[in-house]
Amino acid sequence: MANASVLSSDPAEAAVQVGRYLIDVDMFPVFLMAHFCIACLMIREDSKDLGPKFHQNHPMASWVSSVLTSLAGVFVTNFLFGTAVVDIIKEDKLIIVVTIIWYFMNYGPFDLLFKVVRLSPVYMILALLQENLRARCVFQGLQMATKAYPGAVIIVLLAGVINGNGYGYVKIVERLIRGKWVPGSNDFLEVTYFAKSSLYASGAFMLQSSGLIPVAEELVYLSVVAIFMIFRITITMTSFKDPLLPLEQPAAKLLFGVGDKKKQASETTGKVENGKVETKKRR
């Protein structure tokens, strides 16, 4: 593995080194813990309309929802590819770390972890770390599906999308565990930015591996990570829920007759959705 601390003086070679480092760097514990913090925060925030003390009155539902959200991509991928859904539970280290973070996020002294994670600078750092993890999940999902189903383009693409946005496809089930029924909130009915960006990233990785994008794998990976991070900053710092909409709208209107969705892009809900702390839109 290239040593990211000693970069080449050649910008192109330095970019390849950084890309290789990001591909090879261990996601545990830093990147995964950042993701777990945001997942547990999201569950607590999304439970506010179920009662101010839902997490205290229903600790089992809160814990199961937090674990399912934290490892959603693995659960869904295992289900679709014929692996036992509960196989991930064999990873004791991950379950223990999620449980510790869940506990201190919901029951820690003075709500300290909850309050710290909600601070804008801290949340931004965690979100950017999470985007690095999401790029890795897309990349690894493609690799896993390619080995299992070589030549099956749709299956390989599906694996990348699911691994990069697992929560979007288990959201209904996860909310049912907490007694919350919102059938209109799913990534099939309303395709989110996180689903679309995972799809585009999967397509880019596949085009590169097939030789249609004639650049190094490391450069494509680095580009995906950079774009993910830039868009996450945009989502977190502005009112846009989907920065891809302005780019997609002309084509969508031409192909499907889709109306103006700019209002959707600027709406905020006062909840945490897909790892973003949102506030109500001012009128």
Side-chain angles (χ1 to χ4, degrees), residues 232-247:
R232 190 59 176 271
I233 291 172
T234 301
I235 291 172
T236 305
M237 299 297 292
T238 70
S239 60
F240 278 98
K241 291 172 64 177
D242 186 351
L244 291 173
L245 272 181
L247 304 175

Side-chain angles (χ1 to χ4, degrees), residues 13-78:
E13 181 61 28
V16 170
Q17 287 181 318
V18 174
R20 176 48 55 185
Y21 175 78
L22 292 175
I23 290 174
D24 293 336
V25 67
D26 193 352
M27 292 286 108
F28 185 85
V30 176
F31 296 89
L32 278 166
M33 288 180 66
H35 169 64
F36 295 159
C37 284
I38 290 180
C40 292
L41 173 66
M42 180 168 62
I43 295 302
R44 177 163 173 179
E45 292 282 357
D46 192 54
S47 300
K48 283 184 175 180
D49 56 350
L50 300 175
K53 295 186 177 182
F54 176 85
H55 59 289
Q56 294 174 332
N57 296 331
H58 306 282
M60 179 58 73
S62 173
W63 177 77
V64 172
S65 291
S66 297
V67 171
L68 180 58
T69 300
S70 297
L71 304 171
V74 181
F75 281 115
V76 180
T77 303
N78 285 353

Side-chain angles (χ1 to χ4, degrees), residues 105 109 120 129 161 203:
M105 184 68 71
S120 294
L129 291 173
V161 174

Side-chain angles (χ1 to χ4, degrees), residues 28 32 35-36 39-40 42 63-79 85-99 133 137 162-163 165-167 170 174:
F28 185 85
L32 278 166
H35 169 64
F36 295 159
C40 292
M42 180 168 62
W63 177 77
V64 172
S65 291
S66 297
V67 171
L68 180 58
T69 300
S70 297
L71 304 171
V74 181
F75 281 115
V76 180
T77 303
N78 285 353
F79 173 75
V85 175
V86 295
D87 261 8
I88 185 60
I89 298 179
K90 294 188 298 185
E91 298 290 338
D92 296 337
K93 181 169 63 175
L94 293 181
I95 302 300
I96 290 171
V97 172
V98 172
T99 300
L133 176 64
C137 288
I162 291 172
N163 253 27
N165 182 51
Y167 179 68
V170 302
E174 178 277 311

